[in-house]
Amino acid sequence: MILLSEVKVYAHRGASGYALENTWEAFIKACELGVGIELDVQITKDGVVVVYHDENLKRLTGINADIDTLDYEDIKDLRVGKRWMRRIQHHQIPLAYEVFQWAKKKEIPLNVELKGSFAKNPKGPQILAAMLEGMNDVHISSFDPQLLKEMKNLMPSTEMAWIIKKNKQLAYSKGMDWVDSIHLHKRLLSKALWHELFNLDKQVRIYGILGSESLTQRLEPLMVGIITDYPDRVKRKMAPPFAG
């Protein structure tokens, strides 16, 4: 049986249940809560890696443009937030390199998710690999297994995690020797899925966890991480009952 101490909690897009996703405020809150950080990286037209979830900027900046079509100079001063928040807050899109170096100094585990712009930039994987050189306790995740393959060739000792959308995708992972682990939403979980994962012998992280789920107290073999907007709730749920 897996030990609770072996399961790491990662704050989804930083502690996004308490602060705006993928901002310094969210990352600092995650650090205060003593957990790892899951963050999303995109790459600009001129090869600058930034922390942002969507390929298009509209949802959080109001600008209807894809990041991969713009230079960093075009986006560096954009105010990020929900529509009403942009008027009162001054969040900007973080530079990935600065976040990586801060996390390294703080010894914070990182789950770096590669987003779609990296598939459009032929130099993107090399740029990111160079930025992550010397980082400890970091793994790379993506919905795109081919991106992970490119990263594995560049960083053979770094864990690559495939984020699956459907259970049937697991069958394809059997031929992907560069995929070290599987990330999946809690809604995909079933006894049959756990059996298939066990046969694959790949580590597992679950996302979409809110902290109220019973699975946080009945952890399955192979499960090494939980990704959540509310890391403090999950930590409390996972804590062993007080004996005394």
Side-chain angles (χ1 to χ4, degrees):
M1 184 175 180
I2 195 163
L3 299 175
L4 291 173
S5 60
E6 296 173 347
V7 178
K8 288 184 179 178
V9 176
Y10 289 84
H12 180 234
R13 305 181 195 177
S16 56
Y18 303 103
L20 183 65
E21 65 183 66
N22 284 320
T23 61
W24 276 107
E25 183 181 355
F27 301 148
I28 291 170
K29 180 64 175 178
C31 179
E32 291 172 353
L33 294 174
V35 296
I37 293 174
E38 184 269 352
L39 54 83
D40 306 285
V41 291
Q42 302 274 11
I43 189 165
T44 63
K45 184 179 179 180
D46 54 345
V48 178
V49 182
V50 295
V51 184
Y52 195 81
H53 180 271
D54 303 353
E55 292 183 49
N56 189 283
L57 292 161
K58 187 173 184 179
R59 179 172 66 93
L60 292 181
T61 72
I63 305 300
N64 187 16
D66 290 346
I67 288 178
D68 68 283
T69 66
L70 302 173
D71 289 339
Y72 178 66
E73 190 69 22
D74 300 321
I75 69 172
K76 68 181 182 68
D77 294 323
L78 292 178
R79 189 172 297 177
V80 179
K82 302 295 173 61
R83 190 170 184 177
W84 63 271
M85 291 173 60
R86 291 198 293 272
R87 301 174 186 171
I88 60 175
Q89 295 188 359
H90 300 278
H91 297 297
Q92 291 178 304
I93 299 174
L95 282 166
Y97 179 77
E98 293 181 352
V99 178
F100 294 163
Q101 292 305 305
W102 169 80
K104 182 178 181 180
K105 183 178 180 180
K106 297 286 188 178
E107 298 183 340
I108 299 172
L110 290 182
N111 170 359
V112 179
E113 182 179 337
L114 273 68
K115 306 305 285 188
S117 56
F118 276 86
K120 302 174 184 178
N121 189 316
K123 295 183 179 179
Q126 294 94 322
I127 292 171
L128 182 62
M131 292 173 59
L132 291 172
E133 186 175 358
M135 293 283 294
N136 297 318
D137 206 351
V138 59
H139 61 273
I140 297 172
S141 61
S142 178
F143 287 97
D144 187 339
Q146 294 308 309
L147 267 179
L148 294 176
K149 185 175 184 180
E150 289 186 57
M151 293 304 301
K152 192 68 168 181
N153 288 335
L154 293 164
M155 307 176 69
S157 61
T158 300
E159 179 190 341
M160 300 294 154
W162 185 24
I163 312 169
I164 64 170
K165 295 180 179 180
K166 299 178 181 179
N167 292 2
K168 65 182 182 181
Q169 288 180 294
L170 280 179
Y172 298 111
S173 70
K174 293 178 182 178
M176 300 176 184
D177 57 2
W178 63 90
V179 171
D180 303 298
S181 56
I182 300 293
H183 288 188
L184 55 100
H185 195 279
K186 67 178 182 182
R187 66 174 177 267
L188 297 180
L189 292 176
S190 66
K191 288 184 178 180
L193 179 71
W194 279 120
H195 181 73
E196 191 171 354
L197 287 164
F198 184 81
N199 289 335
L200 287 172
D201 194 28
K202 294 185 186 297
Q203 296 181 333
V204 180
R205 295 182 186 88
I206 308 297
Y207 66 95
I209 300 295
L210 300 177
S212 57
E213 298 86 352
S214 60
L215 70 85
T216 56
Q217 293 180 315
R218 299 196 315 273
L219 301 176
E220 298 284 346
L222 304 179
M223 188 167 170
V224 296
I226 291 175
I227 303 166
T228 175
D229 293 349
Y230 302 99
D232 53 334
R233 297 181 188 176
V234 171
K235 288 178 69 177
R236 285 196 298 269
K237 191 74 171 180
M238 292 171 61
F242 177 72

